């Protein structure tokens, strides 16, 4: 399928809303932080925020259990049984702590009523993504789910977005992408010609949005429900 890029997008052409998942539909940072707290409580030492930073190290997967291993090694409390227990605590508490943002489910439901396709494009592994989507209640509203192990690449690679578009037989101009990262969500989807909505409410890396050229979103959302205004007014900010 040949994809065409348009500089100006007409909202009347939109047939699909493509969402990032973590920190766009629910606060995943909070869930991970709470899981880290449970681990340090179990260990009886350490600091939850310090452990969380291990998951953010360059070159280390955001969901990689080796982050837990390295932390308890550095704390000098490593044993195989301790490591296994901490990994189990992490997975259990992380999933338990994920909840939809206020207004998220009603917003998705309303978009579905409008006849729009609801799609998720995430860098999470499909096994983890399905668990979180089932726990939060989003699964029933989805038309498609694309994860890193399905697309074969991760954001901000254009190939990730192109894979989803081709699988759905969609042109970029037919799609609105909603995500919390200007670099990984907004910049690549905008470059391909999608309409873009920046989920500022979920961005834990930017305290204040500042115009930055190629990553400037078409719409800034302070609440996920504001995406509905696009269809009520037919105007973009």
């Amino acid at each position: 399928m040949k994809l065409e890029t348009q500089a100006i997008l007409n909202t009347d052409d939109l047939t699909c809303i493509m969402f990032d998942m973590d920190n766009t539909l629910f606060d995943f940072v909070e869930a991970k932080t709470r899981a880290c707290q449970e681990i340090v409580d179990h260990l009886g030492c350490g600091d939850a925020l310090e452990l969380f930073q291990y998951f953010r190290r360059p070159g280390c997967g955001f969901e990689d259990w080796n982050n837990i291993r390295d932390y308890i090694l550095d704390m000098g409390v490593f044993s195989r049984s301790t490591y296994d227990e901490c990994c189990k605590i992490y997975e259990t508490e992380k999933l338990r702590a994920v909840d939809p943002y206020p207004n998220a489910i009603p917003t998705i439901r309303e978009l579905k009523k409008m006849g729009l396709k609801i799609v998720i494009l995430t860098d999470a592994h499909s096994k983890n993504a399905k668990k979180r989507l089932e726990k939060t209640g989003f699964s029933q509203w989805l038309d498609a789910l694309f994860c890193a192990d399905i697309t074969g690449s991760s954001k901000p690679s254009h190939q990730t977005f192109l894979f989803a578009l081709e699988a759905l037989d969609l042109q970029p101009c037919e799609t609105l992408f909603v995500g919390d990262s200007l670099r990984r969500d907004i910049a690549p989807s905008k470059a391909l010609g999608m309409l873009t909505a920046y989920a500022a409410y979920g961005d834990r890396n930017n305290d204040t949005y500042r115009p930055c050229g190629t990553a400037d979103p078409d719409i800034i959302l302070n609440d996920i429900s504001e995406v509905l205004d696009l269809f009520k007014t037919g105007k973009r900010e």
Side-chain angles (χ1 to χ4, degrees), residues 150-186:
I150 296 173
T151 64
S153 57
S154 299
K155 296 181 285 187
S157 169
H158 286 190
Q159 186 56 41
T160 302
F161 299 84
L162 291 172
F163 184 101
L165 289 169
E166 185 165 4
L168 296 166
D169 195 23
L170 289 172
Q171 294 290 326
C173 63
E174 298 176 285
T175 307
L176 168 67
F177 195 90
V178 183
D180 66 286
S181 173
L182 292 169
R183 182 181 68 85
R184 298 173 63 255
D185 294 322
I186 302 304

Side-chain angles (χ1 to χ4, degrees), residues 190-216:
K190 182 175 182 177
L192 289 171
M194 298 182 190
L195 189 65
T196 56
Y198 169 47
Y201 59 85
D203 190 345
R204 305 292 287 266
N205 296 310
N206 292 272
D207 294 330
T208 303
Y209 165 70
R210 297 177 180 82
C212 51
T214 58
D216 286 347

Side-chain angles (χ1 to χ4, degrees), residues 19-183:
F19 290 90
D20 172 51
M21 184 180 69
D22 297 333
N23 301 312
T24 297
L25 299 179
F26 45 78
D27 191 339
F28 192 51
V29 169
E30 175 63 21
K32 284 178 67 70
T33 301
R34 287 166 61 178
C36 289
Q37 185 63 57
E38 289 294 318
I39 289 175
V40 299
D41 287 348
H42 175 73
L43 293 173
C45 61
D47 180 84
L49 293 180
E50 182 180 11
L51 171 54
F52 177 73
Q53 292 305 316
Y54 273 62
F55 287 93
R56 286 191 160 179
R57 295 176 299 171
C60 298
F62 195 53
E63 287 298 281
D64 194 336
W65 287 358
N66 285 328
N67 294 301
I68 299 173
R69 180 203 62 192
D70 291 349
Y71 181 74
I72 60 179
L73 277 168
D74 290 345
M75 290 294 295
V77 294
F78 180 86
S79 72
R80 183 67 199 191
S81 61
T82 298
Y83 170 67
D84 291 342
E85 290 165 359
C86 287
C87 291
K88 182 177 180 180
I89 289 170
Y90 169 75
E91 289 297 332
T92 300
E93 180 61 22
K94 180 185 63 175
L95 186 60
R96 191 192 71 79
V98 291
D99 289 305
Y101 281 122
N103 301 320
I105 292 292
T107 297
I108 299 295
R109 186 166 57 236
E110 188 64 25
L111 291 170
K112 285 288 289 184
K113 287 181 180 179
M114 295 178 186
L116 293 160
K117 291 181 179 178
I118 304 299
V119 175
I120 287 179
L121 179 64
T122 175
D123 282 345
H125 190 280
S126 56
K127 181 179 179 180
N128 291 325
K130 289 175 182 178
K131 286 180 180 179
R132 296 203 278 274
L133 292 169
E134 185 66 29
K135 166 38 170 84
T136 52
F138 288 105
S139 294
Q140 63 180 312
W141 305 108
L142 301 184
D143 292 286
L145 168 64
F146 297 97
C147 302
D149 54 310
I150 296 173
T151 64
S153 57
S154 299
K155 296 181 285 187
S157 169
H158 286 190
Q159 186 56 41
T160 302
F161 299 84
L162 291 172
F163 184 101
L165 289 169
E166 185 165 4
L168 296 166
D169 195 23
L170 289 172
Q171 294 290 326
C173 63
E174 298 176 285
T175 307
L176 168 67
F177 195 90
V178 183
D180 66 286
S181 173
L182 292 169
R183 182 181 68 85

